[in-house]
Amino acid sequence: MSFKFKLVTKRTCIFTISFTLSISLIIFLSLWFIINYNKNQISPSSTEIEIMNKFFNNRSIKRPDDILFVQNKVISEIKHEYTGSEKLDVKKTILRKKGFCYDRSILMQKYFILNGYNVRPVYLYFGEKSTSVLDFFKKETLSHNVFEVYFQGKWILIRTNTKMTKLESLKEYIKTNGVVPPHTKYVRYLNNRNGKFIYPNIIPDIY
């Protein structure tokens, strides 16, 4: 009886380990696919390159002043207005000259990528008086979209709703900027959880 019990226990352990490894592999491959698919989607197309170069006056990004020029131009010329819930579209954003934080963000992300920089999206979320990790899953939670660019050896936060006058980090932005409260929490590498998305909508905007 003891031998049979040990045999069943051993088989159960083997099954559990195999099942766990299989699920882990599926999750890993799914994330790998999602991240690489989205990276490909945010890589500027030939049409986007042409219209962005025209919009930004072919301005190369080499110095802090260049970053401020690009960011300030977007805030000045892309008015903060809702344009519907279709997929994120750089060309439409530039032609309409309006969009929300996620529209401005993807436009600038693509232009930084075009200029050879690495970017990472940042999803900010917050409650009215406090924020917990669980608030991420609540529908009524307020949110905001920004991103970081790797410039001169460090990650710099790029604002999407107010003009920048200097370079700053994500923590400095949350602490002092006033657009989001100091208790704001964030998820790096997630572009958005509501609003507009990279096509198709069923794939999380992780990259």
Side-chain angles (χ1 to χ4, degrees):
M1 192 73 176
S2 177
F3 174 75
K4 288 183 178 180
F5 177 76
K6 289 181 179 179
L7 183 60
V8 171
T9 302
K10 185 176 181 180
R11 287 177 176 174
T12 302
C13 288
I14 292 173
F15 173 78
T16 302
I17 292 171
S18 299
F19 179 77
T20 302
L21 289 174
S22 298
I23 294 299
S24 299
L25 180 60
I26 290 172
I27 293 173
F28 172 79
L29 291 175
S30 298
L31 283 173
W32 180 86
F33 170 78
I34 290 170
I35 291 170
N36 282 278
Y37 175 84
N38 286 332
K39 282 186 176 181
N40 182 64
Q41 289 294 96
I42 65 167
S43 180
S45 67
S46 56
T47 300
E48 290 172 333
I49 290 172
E50 183 179 356
I51 195 169
M52 285 193 300
N53 277 333
K54 184 176 180 180
F55 179 76
F56 289 111
N57 303 323
N58 290 296
R59 180 76 172 249
S60 296
I61 302 175
K62 296 179 180 179
R63 303 174 302 173
D65 285 351
D66 299 323
I67 293 178
L68 297 181
F69 169 83
V70 168
Q71 194 273 345
N72 284 196
K73 185 174 179 64
V74 169
I75 301 303
S76 294
E77 299 191 22
I78 306 299
K79 303 305 178 185
H80 190 256
E81 294 183 29
Y82 182 64
T83 58
S85 58
E86 72 268 23
K87 69 175 183 177
L88 290 167
D89 190 315
V90 165
K91 183 177 179 180
K92 287 183 178 179
T93 298
I94 291 176
L95 293 177
R96 290 170 174 170
K97 292 191 179 299
K98 59 183 179 180
F100 271 0
C101 57
Y102 37 74
D103 297 297
R104 291 166 164 177
S105 178
I106 202 71
L107 167 56
M108 288 188 282
Q109 285 182 52
K110 290 199 175 206
Y111 197 65
F112 278 103
I113 291 171
L114 177 60
N115 277 268
Y117 292 94
N118 292 322
V119 300
R120 62 184 183 192
V122 183
Y123 175 76
L124 305 173
Y125 65 98
F126 48 93
E128 291 185 7
K129 295 182 179 179
S130 62
T131 309
S132 73
V133 175
L134 294 178
D135 287 333
F136 175 83
F137 303 98
K138 296 178 181 178
K139 188 176 181 180
E140 65 273 14
T141 298
L142 301 172
S143 63
H144 185 42
N145 178 284
V146 293
F147 71 98
E148 294 171 299
V149 59
Y150 195 70
F151 179 73
Q152 295 183 349
K154 57 185 177 181
W155 289 100
I156 301 299
L157 186 284
I158 304 298
R159 300 186 182 198
T160 56
N161 270 8
T162 56
K163 288 185 178 181
M164 295 170 57
T165 58
K166 63 179 181 178
L167 303 187
E168 61 190 338
S169 68
L170 175 59
K171 289 185 177 180
E172 290 170 336
Y173 169 78
I174 292 174
K175 184 178 180 181
T176 63
N177 109 80
V179 173
V180 296
H183 54 78
T184 295
K185 294 190 180 299
Y186 57 88
V187 180
R188 283 189 169 110
Y189 302 103
L190 175 63
N191 190 58
N192 210 7
R193 193 178 68 87
N194 47 35
K196 288 184 182 179
F197 303 91
I198 298 169
Y199 181 84
N201 290 359
I202 58 172
I203 298 179
D205 286 2
I206 302 171
Y207 54 89

